[in-house]
Amino acid sequence: MKIHSLDVYIIDLPTIRPHHLAMHTIVTQTIVIACIKSEDGIEGWGEVATIGGASYSEESPEAIKLNIENYVKPLIIGENPVNFDALSYKINRYVKGNYFAKALVESAMVDLVAKTLNIPAYELFGGQCHESLPVAWTLASGDTAKDIEEAQNCLAAKRHNIFKLKIGKGNPKTNVAHVIKIKEAVGDAGSVRVDVNQAWDEVTSLYCIEALQNGGVDLIEQPLVRWDNEGMSRLTSRFKVPIMADESLGTVQEAYQISKLRAGNVFALKVPKAGGLTATKKVAAIAEASGIPMYGGTMIESSLGTAICAQLYSTIPELTFGTELFGPLLFKDNITVNQIEYENFEMKIPSGPGFGMEMDREKVKHYSRDI
Ligand code: MUC
Ligand code: MG
């Protein structure tokens, strides 16, 4: 089998409500998808999502598309995608950084290989440990009353009982009061966690985390700027509430440094941050070797990208903090014919050939900037 073509499309998907993060408000989520075709016409599809252009990570959707087309594509055309790990090593020799772009290309190669073999992609990563996984919902409407209503609806529908609150924008004390009100409303029916998205300094973190811990919050995600591993380490040893590394934890090398410094005592895995599925398994191995519990993170992918992450996460035996693969539920519409199923506070891991999702070509065309 040989790779015959690679095409990249930027897709803009409208959300059901504004989604407020410390650095950006999402009303239209931009994802990048890739289609790799073999010489015999089989298609493999991959996806990565970005948040707010280049405001969440260095790679904007436009840069991902351009760098793949100009620098990655020539390295893999004519090659056998079965050797996707060897091809990733080849790409790494000639293309520095660009982890989201690399993850996108690897996921499309993996989908192609698994479809050709007529197996789910998770069989290429050691096989499935979970048929379904717990999934958090992110409360980020920007309004405490609306967030409480959303949480109560999720609990009543048995869709989510883990809630991640996006904070870090505005006054930290107002942020804390907002979280405590939501925790009081949810009570013991759900787990309340916060994601600060790097917005606080260490001094602010000290009093805010103390208050959040006392208020019954279960997890504090990335309070400090991504490069401040020493600060994250001090916070981790000071508080009982777990501190999760997200933006600071990308590559395998970063995972190693964070585990050594204990700059966070929970790892947020994300396939694009690590540079792909194979690299994410390596990050998970470092967590496992250092006794650090894991969480299956999201960049708010569509159904395709969610299936990609879900299949990989399903191969990790212990995902102590569950996942947050809620992306498809935040969108007004989707780009696949079949949809991810959510029930009983969990998501079902898609298990068809490849990543188990069939592309809806009309929808891809409708939401694409490039077709
Ligand atoms: C992040 O920072 O973790 C995940 C959920 C959400 O609402 O935002 C993302 C990114
Ligand atoms: Mg985060």
Side-chain angles (χ1 to χ4, degrees):
M1 184 186 8
K2 281 188 179 163
I3 294 176
H4 175 69
S5 65
L6 192 179
D7 294 295
V8 185
Y9 309 104
I10 299 178
I11 305 269
D12 297 304
L13 286 174
T15 58
I16 54 171
R17 60 148 168 76
H19 195 74
H20 297 275
L21 284 81
M23 83 302 279
H24 178 71
T25 297
I26 308 172
V27 287
T28 305
Q29 170 67 330
T30 303
I31 61 167
V32 191
I33 61 172
C35 177
I36 294 184
K37 263 192 211 157
S38 66
E39 281 179 326
D40 40 9
I42 301 178
E43 291 179 350
W45 289 84
E47 173 187 332
V48 289
T50 56
I51 292 177
S55 66
Y56 188 98
S57 83
E58 295 91 342
E59 289 174 81
S60 68
E62 297 80 11
I64 293 169
K65 177 173 159 67
L66 185 94
N67 284 336
I68 291 177
E69 288 172 347
N70 285 6
Y71 305 111
V72 179
K73 183 174 168 177
L75 297 171
I76 62 166
I77 295 291
E79 298 285 353
N80 187 344
V82 164
N83 303 318
F84 59 86
D85 196 22
L87 287 173
S88 292
Y89 273 97
K90 179 179 173 187
I91 294 166
N92 278 335
R93 264 208 311 279
Y94 300 104
V95 180
K96 301 293 171 246
N98 287 279
Y99 299 104
F100 281 50
K102 288 169 180 168
L104 174 56
V105 171
E106 191 206 28
S107 61
M109 288 197 282
V110 167
D111 191 49
L112 172 57
V113 172
K115 278 183 182 147
T116 306
L117 298 171
N118 200 28
I119 55 168
Y122 52 68
E123 292 192 10
L124 298 171
F125 292 91
Q128 200 181 31
C129 303
H130 314 277
E131 287 179 8
S132 66
L133 282 168
V135 57
W137 175 250
T138 296
L139 299 170
S141 73
D143 179 284
T144 310
K146 276 193 197 149
D147 282 357
I148 290 176
E149 194 188 331
E150 251 184 51
Q152 280 163 347
N153 291 341
C154 288
L155 287 166
K158 288 189 148 202
R159 216 180 67 184
H160 309 276
N161 54 9
I162 305 170
F163 301 103
K164 162 160 147 174
L165 278 52
K166 301 300 274 189
I167 56 171
K169 199 177 182 172
N171 184 325
K173 286 190 175 150
T174 314
N175 285 184
V176 170
H178 163 79
V179 176
I180 303 295
K181 273 192 200 137
I182 295 176
K183 178 60 197 168
E184 279 167 6
V186 166
D188 293 338
S191 167
V192 169
R193 306 164 177 189
V194 299
D195 189 355
V196 192
N197 280 120
Q198 316 180 61
W200 291 342
D201 57 29
E202 198 172 335
V203 175
T204 309
S205 299
L206 285 176
Y207 71 80
C208 288
I209 296 176
E210 178 89 34
L212 293 169
Q213 178 174 276
N214 294 340
V217 169
D218 291 323
L219 184 65
I220 313 288
E221 181 171 343
Q222 198 71 47
L224 302 183
V225 69
R226 56 183 294 186
W227 46 258
D228 193 2
N229 280 338
E230 289 180 8
M232 285 282 280
S233 179
R234 285 188 289 270
L235 295 178
T236 303
S237 53
R238 184 173 181 123
F239 293 105
K240 279 205 194 90
V241 61
I243 310 282
M244 182 154 77
D246 182 14
E247 288 94 321
S248 57
L249 168 73
T251 61
V252 177
Q253 293 77 9
E254 285 166 350
Y256 171 64
Q257 292 301 336
I258 291 172
S259 70
K260 262 197 351 182
L261 281 170
R262 271 311 195 261
N265 48 5
V266 182
F267 273 10
L269 306 174
K270 281 182 188 169
V271 172
K273 283 191 310 181
L277 298 136
T278 312
T280 303
K281 284 284 279 196
K282 292 181 188 172
V283 170
I286 290 173
E288 191 182 328
S290 27
I292 292 180
M294 286 172 259
Y295 177 65
T298 183
M299 287 298 295
I300 316 189
E301 291 86 6
S302 83
S303 46
L304 172 64
T306 298
I308 292 169
C309 298
Q311 281 221 4
L312 198 273
Y313 299 159
S314 80
T315 70
I316 297 171
E318 299 277 346
L319 264 181
T320 313
F321 284 82
T323 79
E324 56 174 13
L325 293 175
F326 65 85
L329 299 169
L330 190 67
F331 300 134
K332 284 190 183 147
D333 201 357
N334 240 308
I335 55 165
T336 52
V337 174
N338 56 327
Q339 301 306 325
I340 306 282
E341 292 170 42
Y342 295 88
E343 60 180 19
N344 265 329
F345 306 114
E346 303 220 325
M347 67 177 302
K348 271 174 76 180
I349 310 301
S351 60
F355 292 110
M357 304 310 286
E358 189 191 333
M359 301 308 289
D360 184 329
R361 279 156 212 283
E362 280 309 305
K363 295 277 177 67
V364 169
K365 203 169 157 189
H366 181 73
Y367 292 109
S368 169
R369 291 185 201 172
D370 314 291
I371 311 174

